[in-house]
Amino acid sequence: MKYILASASPRRKEILEQIGLEFDIIPAKGEEEIRFTRPEEIVMDLSGQKAEEVAGQRRKEMVPELIIGADTVVAKDGVILGKPKDEADAYRMLSMLQGSSHKVYTGVTFILRKESGVQRHSFFEETEVFMYPMSEEERRWYIATKEPFDKAGGYGIQGRCAVFIKKIHGDYQNVVGLPAAGIYQKLKKLGIDIYEES
């Protein structure tokens, strides 16, 4: 089985490498279209758009192969926070999140290409994150590290923001950007053992 990650995210790459999966990276480059309002629906749909785009490029390639698309959003009181546009936006997001809890949703879509046809499966994982209060000085210090700018919600749990994370309920890897355990368990249910050839 050939595995393909439809994402250029270095964090998703690291997570799949961590669990010992051998895979190629073919990032989806199309413009994503948000067609839903609930965060769990949004991430499953966007992960599907990414996986479908890459699958469309590979119609003539050999099978079997599994394409993995993923998308992560942060939601606070029903407001979805993407990646900050600038420093002011990052400050706004951190101000919303500090001293309280929020939820991180990652949607994953598998497109399984086999001789017998194509199957599509989507799921999402939800993790609740609790943050300590951050002073104005701490928020500005964190923004100055430039770490917030390529991350949903304006922070990285695996980076310097770790000092402000009080606790989480759920899968830590899900917050980083890819629920490794969820992926393994869902693939097992589909009859795919990622370690069968190792």
Side-chain angles (χ1 to χ4, degrees), residues 3-6 11-13 15-17 19 21 47 66-71 106-110 121-125 171 173-174 177-195:
Y3 297 92
I4 295 170
L5 175 63
R11 294 168 293 280
R12 292 186 180 124
K13 175 178 179 285
I15 289 169
L16 289 185
E17 288 174 342
I19 64 172
L21 190 67
S47 71
L66 181 81
I67 298 163
I68 303 170
D71 192 82
T106 296
V108 177
T109 295
F110 302 136
H121 304 273
S122 294
F123 72 96
F124 76 93
E125 294 283 347
D171 182 352
Q173 300 283 32
N174 186 54
L178 203 61
I183 285 174
Y184 179 68
Q185 298 301 326
K186 294 290 189 298
L187 288 177
K188 257 200 332 187
K189 286 183 180 176
L190 293 174
I192 299 171
D193 181 358
I194 64 172
Y195 300 124

Side-chain angles (χ1 to χ4, degrees), residues 47-61:
S47 71
Q49 290 180 40
K50 293 173 181 178
E52 293 280 5
E53 179 191 326
V54 173
Q57 300 167 17
R58 298 191 57 78
R59 287 196 187 96
K60 297 178 182 176
E61 302 296 325

Side-chain angles (χ1 to χ4, degrees), residues 11 72-75 80-98 102 104 131 134 138-139 141-162 164-165 175:
R11 294 168 293 280
T72 302
V73 301
V74 171
I80 291 174
L81 306 178
K83 297 175 183 177
K85 298 188 292 286
D86 51 32
E87 289 189 6
D89 202 28
Y91 188 87
R92 176 186 69 86
M93 291 183 186
L94 290 170
S95 298
M96 289 176 67
L97 300 180
Q98 62 86 31
H102 60 275
V104 179
M131 292 183 78
M134 299 172 73
E138 287 170 329
R139 278 172 269 177
W141 163 80
Y142 182 57
I143 291 166
T145 68
K146 306 297 184 188
E147 199 175 271
F149 294 109
D150 67 337
K151 297 173 180 67
Y155 77 95
I157 194 170
Q158 76 284 11
R160 296 183 186 182
C161 199
F164 301 112
I165 304 301
V175 185

